[in-house]
Amino acid sequence: MVVPQRKFRELVFQMLFSQDLNEGSDFNVITSLLDQLTVTKKTLRQAHERMQCVFEKLGDIDQHISRCSRDYDFNRISRVERNILRLGVFELLYDKDIPPKVALAESIRLGRKFGTPEGGAFVNAVLDAIYRTSEAEPCLSKTS
């Protein structure tokens, strides 16, 4: 059974959130937490692999978020929005199979679904700033 990309993205977000909330939780805890979503073991494994990819880049991802969320200190961003942003930044900057507009739109959708009423707008503002910065960086290096 093929899982729609939206459901897969939600699964990865929920794993990121769970890992952030319960630092040091292992894969078994995540598996038992997500049994209710009725996904295959293969899908769960793929989502876990994606989560690990995000965590491998976490230092860079969090730096981008900190730099572009001028109105909020990184630690004041709610865990929900912080992990949506982490996934969004990963998709935007490191996953070349996902078009930037899709990464932005899906992150905004996750922000509206799981976050505060203003979550979608906040996620949009931060990711848009990161996207603009990432687009400008190659142009700056060409002129140097």
Side-chain angles (χ1 to χ4, degrees):
M1 175 169 113
V2 177
V3 175
Q5 193 61 31
R6 282 185 167 194
K7 186 172 181 176
F8 182 78
R9 189 174 279 109
E10 288 179 11
L11 182 61
V12 174
F13 157 70
Q14 289 173 334
M15 287 182 158
L16 286 167
F17 178 79
S18 174
Q19 193 75 6
D20 189 33
L21 192 61
N22 304 304
E23 292 179 24
S25 66
D26 64 356
F27 186 65
N28 293 332
V29 172
I30 293 171
T31 303
S32 65
L33 179 77
L34 298 173
D35 276 343
Q36 66 206 4
L37 297 178
T38 62
V39 294
T40 65
K41 288 181 183 179
K42 179 181 177 183
T43 300
L44 194 60
R45 188 174 5 86
Q46 290 171 335
H48 188 261
E49 289 169 3
R50 172 57 63 103
M51 179 195 73
Q52 288 178 317
C53 290
V54 173
F55 273 110
E56 287 173 9
K57 304 279 188 194
L58 203 58
D60 287 342
I61 289 170
D62 287 353
Q63 260 185 333
H64 283 289
I65 295 169
S66 292
R67 190 178 68 237
C68 291
S69 62
R70 295 181 184 103
D71 295 336
Y72 288 96
D73 179 66
F74 181 79
N75 294 320
R76 287 189 54 217
I77 300 172
S78 78
R79 287 185 194 265
V80 171
E81 275 100 10
R82 183 170 55 223
N83 285 290
I84 291 169
L85 285 167
R86 285 173 169 168
L87 180 57
V89 172
F90 178 82
E91 289 182 348
L92 200 60
L93 301 180
Y94 301 104
D95 189 338
K96 300 307 176 194
D97 293 332
I98 299 175
K101 287 185 179 185
V102 172
L104 288 165
E106 285 297 307
S107 296
I108 294 165
R109 184 186 67 79
L110 287 173
R112 289 180 180 146
K113 181 173 182 175
F114 293 103
T116 63
E118 303 83 24
F122 177 72
V123 167
N124 182 29
V126 174
L127 287 181
D128 187 53
I130 292 169
Y131 177 65
R132 288 184 202 189
T133 302
S134 70
E135 287 293 302
E137 288 171 356
C139 296
L140 292 175
S141 64
K142 287 179 187 175
T143 60
S144 302

